[in-house]
Amino acid sequence: MSDNIETIRHSISHVLAQAVKSFHPKVKLGIGPAIEDGFYYDFDNLKITEEDLKKIEDKMREIIKKNIGIKKVLLTKKEAEKRLAGQKYKLELLKSLKDKRITFYEQDDFIDLCKGPHVKSTKDIPIDAFKLTHLAGAYWKGDSKNKMLTRIYGVAFNTKHELDNYLKMKEEAEKRNHIKLGKELEIFMISDLVGKGLPIWLPKGNIIKEEIEKLAKEMEKKAGFIRVTTPHLAKKELYMMSGHLPYYENSMYPSMKMDDGTYYLKAMNCPHHHLIYKNKLRSYRDLPLRIAEYGTVYRNELSGTLAGLLRVRAMSMNDAHIYCRKDQIEEEFTNIIKMIKEYYKLFDLKDYWFRLSRWDPKHKEKYIDEPANWKMSEEILRNVLKKLNVKFIEAEDEAAFYGPKIDIQFKAVSGREETMSTIQLDFAAKKRFDLSYQDSSGGENKDVFVIHRAPLSTHERFIAILIENYAGKFPVWLSPVQVIIMPIADRHLEYSKDIEKKLLDDDVRVEVDSRSESISKKVRDAQVQKIPIMITVGDKELENKTLAKY
Amino acid sequence: MSDNIETIRHSISHVLAQAVKSFHPKVKLGIGPAIEDGFYYDFDNLKITEEDLKKIEDKMREIIKKNIGIKKVLLTKKEAEKRLAGQKYKLELLKSLKDKRITFYEQDDFIDLCKGPHVKSTKDIPIDAFKLTHLAGAYWKGDSKNKMLTRIYGVAFNTKHELDNYLKMKEEAEKRNHIKLGKELEIFMISDLVGKGLPIWLPKGNIIKEEIEKLAKEMEKKAGFIRVTTPHLAKKELYMMSGHLPYYENSMYPSMKMDDGTYYLKAMNCPHHHLIYKNKLRSYRDLPLRIAEYGTVYRNELSGTLAGLLRVRAMSMNDAHIYCRKDQIEEEFTNIIKMIKEYYKLFDLKDYWFRLSRWDPKHKEKYIDEPANWKMSEEILRNVLKKLNVKFIEAEDEAAFYGPKIDIQFKAVSGREETMSTIQLDFAAKKRFDLSYQDSSGGENKDVFVIHRAPLSTHERFIAILIENYAGKFPVWLSPVQVIIMPIADRHLEYSKDIEKKLLDDDVRVEVDSRSESISKKVRDAQVQKIPIMITVGDKELENKTLAKY
């Protein structure tokens, strides 16, 4: 039986430490665990650069080739202390151990305080399937009050093929990194003066954002959605009614005390939409009522977790709430899923599947306790998925507090799994907000179901994924600059400007590169900007009144 | 010489008090001043309804007809106290007077502590030019800790003609009142749970808002504006740099302390736009750079002052900042004014004029102290207005802190004067934000001028004015529902739906009134909703496949 990859990764970290110690006998060892895709080891008193990694890697292979046995050794605490003399971090770890017998692993002259398990011999480590990747600083025990140690990271797999695939994928992901491309393509910026997690859409990013909004508005108008605009904040009382307060307060922005009460930036759009629903008497004929909004919600994430467009504090989304009768749930869910499939097709997103997220009756504290409603609604959602014949899985204990949902899971180019869209059934809102409609006999019916849906995720997340997915090469309809006209010499500028004007009149997003640069420089720059249509204008084009596509 | 209208109004308030006392001898008098358009008098211990006003008015005319002399009487404080026995509010006022001789005015058996002046005799009051209008509760001395008195309001003019005009104008304004129409036409709602001053755009209002945005985006794209989207908040440091903090802090929403600093809802969009300008090296070729945004700004107004769309706490506006060289200021201002005139024409706004708002060198504490820049820039702005040959006035001490501006003043249907748009020159931003560009020789030039402009005011103010101006009858392009199809009987419904579908496909905003109501009821309701195109469908239309416009 071959060793578990976790075990192999852990053993490589020991080999790494052994190799480092052979060059730098005075290093103090921290810890060296296996992690996702690889391993690391922390060292104190080690001054190296990334150039040194190659040498260490070579030494590691040397050790592996030696076929050294890795032996488990049990010592008393006293013996252990003796063996760890001078290794202050290890001694600190030893102190916290309650065991009578302390486990060590030993290979040649290298011994390490370690619970294991490990491979039997260094030769059990696939010699060509690992790589040291980079250095990083890391506080001892992850605490910024402690000393910063030097961490060496590596990746390791069972086979060279797997390693190569991984490295290729990483390289590709790095090229597609939305933070890097977002900067190069001038899609968004983040300023310390405005705050992390609050991206600013630059003109080019704003065009992408507006094209997406235009598409959504057109598609959803046809699907019977009406649109509203609600303020970005509301009074405490609204969030008490919705139940966001006090339970969700830590995730919300701090409150603002005004002369007429306490205000919060909104954490969700639904409470506002419920008020719009309640603003007039609704008749059974008005249902389903589909209220949509490009709304912005705010989350008080820790600043340390914020990055690019994927971890933000303000999220704008194509949100909607559908108010319907029980007998309309199935059709509404069906139509939303069809719409999502259409959206994904338009954006060339392929690697996705559906997930029916159910409640867990064993965790009643997390869910509204209405077993009959759960049973009924999960059944409806399952039926929808079955009838549509789409790929789906079921996941217990993944529902919202107020009802089951269908999540659309997506595998990003980077390998990351994302929940891209969600359709949630809500049978709690009707009570909290006292929703009702007048039925055909004129009586008041309080059985109003609410469906929450956001098919295009948030602008921030969606555009990050589009950047990655297209590797920055947006299709023409989404490209901030659709056409660039490059005059070869200054004498071709006037004709270029004529063409620009014609295209502008036809609502094409066009630019002329009027710089006095060589055509090859212009082409290179246009390629960096990933402009889909490049046109060169030279003597021939000027004479024949034609255009040449590069 | 005829009496001043203020004096007449004040004398009518005495006649009002005399009349009330004749019916209710035990009332306690508060105060009774002249106010804009009329007068009021406050009474304690008076229980009447608005139905009683006619009787009081008749009694007032009776008193006026009697031609009673109004005599000034000077009393010592002791004598005054005696005359005011039992009138606790008047005694309270008397106490605060420092004069030796106390002025009273006397007419018949009615005497009032009063500084005057008054008309000589009640017959000097134009008998047919006043009217009691309504009752209201009013705290003694305006303090909510005091007792609430009954206030009788009236209007008064020199002639019946003036009174009639005023009442007609009020009636018309009441019909056009944007709060009343906004509710009837379902344009916006205000909820106590969200907060006053934070209007929610209902589906119909949202259509108007989006049509305006669409227009602005189209027009401004042609005029070379690029669009961005910036967060609704920013860190304290940004507003320190812009100078909003600490000077403007009281007008801003309360701060929010997060784990990485203090955040504020934005008071203006400009600081965000300056950061976008600074995000990359700008060349002289990039200027003028016109950055536009439908941005939302927040003001911490007192809740008591908030009403409808005209006094709000969150304002969305078609904002833009133009970064240009000194020699480009004139052309940019000229183009903006031309654009504003085009906008106003499209919205049928006619009663407007321009105001050159200058600084006042005597109030240097209010302005950036750069006399040469003020002189130069005021001259440029004046030249623009002269060359365009538009109606304009000049106003000293009305400039912004950072430079002169051109305000576009508008007279609303209600008679109210509004600043509808503003174009401001800013020569302070370049220093505060260290703005610069690379000139043609490659050197850094820091002489960047910023123009702030918001031609369509805020959405809130602009739509309030449009509602008033159109009296709710929006032109077809702005109408939330453009066409209503009214089948005469149920057998005409199918054909009506066919037509609806055709119109929907052509992007017409159309509805079918499918209720089983009489055609006259349907027409009446459509008229209340002020739908511009009403179509009836009956047997004839069905047979001939035609339509009948109502």
Side-chain angles (χ1 to χ4, degrees), chain A residues 27-31 42-45 84 86-96 113 139-141 146-149:
Chain A
V27 292
K28 310 280 178 216
L29 300 178
I31 57 164
D42 289 343
F43 304 93
D44 191 13
N45 201 24
L84 293 173
Q87 289 290 343
K88 61 181 210 176
Y89 301 102
K90 293 290 182 190
L91 285 167
E92 193 181 328
L93 292 177
L94 178 65
K95 248 190 205 165
S96 66
L113 171 74
Y139 294 110
W140 169 241
K141 288 187 168 172
N146 292 335
K147 194 169 178 193
M148 188 178 274
L149 312 181

Side-chain angles (χ1 to χ4, degrees), chain A residues 353-371:
Chain A
W353 62 98
F354 295 83
R355 183 177 79 186
L356 171 58
S357 297
R358 286 153 39 204
W359 80 320
D360 184 351
K362 291 192 294 293
H363 290 111
K364 286 203 171 156
E365 74 288 357
K366 285 170 67 180
Y367 303 100
I368 177 170
D369 191 13
E370 298 178 9

Side-chain angles (χ1 to χ4, degrees), chain A residues 186 192-193 201 203 206 209-210 217 227 229 232 235 254 257-260 280 300 303 313 507, chain B residues 186 192-194 201 203 206 209-210 217 221 227 229 232 235 258-260 280 300 303 313:
Chain A
E186 296 177 17
D192 279 343
L193 287 164
W201 295 104
N206 205 62
K209 183 176 150 286
E210 289 203 350
K217 285 177 186 176
R227 302 194 82 84
T229 305
H232 286 223
K235 278 182 144 176
K257 291 208 169 34
M258 312 276 284
D259 73 347
D260 60 341
K280 62 189 269 193
N300 189 355
S303 60
R313 281 178 170 169
D507 270 332
Chain B
E186 295 177 18
D192 278 344
L193 287 164
V194 171
W201 295 103
N206 206 60
K209 183 176 149 288
E210 288 203 349
K217 285 177 186 177
K221 188 176 155 195
R227 302 194 81 86
T229 305
H232 286 221
K235 276 182 145 177
M258 313 276 283
D259 74 346
D260 61 341
K280 62 189 268 195
N300 189 354
S303 60
R313 278 177 170 170

